[in-house]
Amino acid sequence: MTYNKKGEKIEIFEIDEEFHFWLFSKANLNPKQFIGIFKIKDYYKTNIQYSGKDLQILIQELEKIKNLTPYKDEVKLILTKINGENIEKIRITGD
């Protein structure tokens, strides 16, 4: 979910389950180098918010993997949704 600077919900969207699987099972990412991304590793128990510096770190990490993944379009879509001027925070909630 994305929220604007007034705290209003803008959009709800899902992270593709296959992309999530690739990210944490196939990509061989170092959890110490991708701290922001690894906060959402547990697909079913996740309930985390990113704002400010944490959101910028997540965006930077997604930018780093964008060209390494077979899910490049998925990463681009996520970046488009979370990297807008009007986005204040995002919340990622598991199933």
Side-chain angles (χ1 to χ4, degrees):
M1 289 181 251
T2 56
Y3 295 85
N4 66 18
K5 295 181 185 213
K6 295 179 183 177
E8 301 165 328
K9 191 183 310 177
I10 298 173
E11 183 177 7
I12 297 173
F13 65 96
E14 293 185 18
I15 295 174
D16 181 83
E17 193 170 342
E18 290 179 17
F19 169 60
H20 187 275
F21 177 78
W22 175 86
L23 198 56
F24 300 109
S25 299
K26 304 273 186 180
N28 296 318
L29 298 178
N30 182 338
K32 293 179 182 178
Q33 291 180 325
F34 293 92
I35 294 168
I37 287 176
F38 272 85
K39 289 180 180 179
I40 61 168
K41 183 176 181 180
D42 191 335
Y43 197 74
Y44 298 100
K45 295 182 182 175
T46 299
N47 188 10
I48 190 162
Q49 292 187 33
Y50 295 88
S51 62
K53 185 178 178 182
D54 289 336
L55 180 55
Q56 290 308 308
I57 289 169
L58 178 64
I59 290 167
Q60 290 168 1
E61 291 174 358
L62 288 169
E63 288 285 355
K64 286 180 188 176
I65 66 163
K66 180 172 61 179
N67 294 320
L68 305 174
T69 176
Y71 298 94
K72 187 176 187 174
D73 291 338
E74 177 74 14
V75 176
K76 283 182 179 179
L77 179 63
I78 293 168
L79 285 166
T80 299
K81 293 177 181 289
I82 69 172
N83 198 16
E85 266 187 47
N86 61 332
I87 303 297
E88 180 70 18
K89 72 177 180 178
I90 65 168
R91 189 172 108 207
I92 300 176
T93 305
D95 286 346

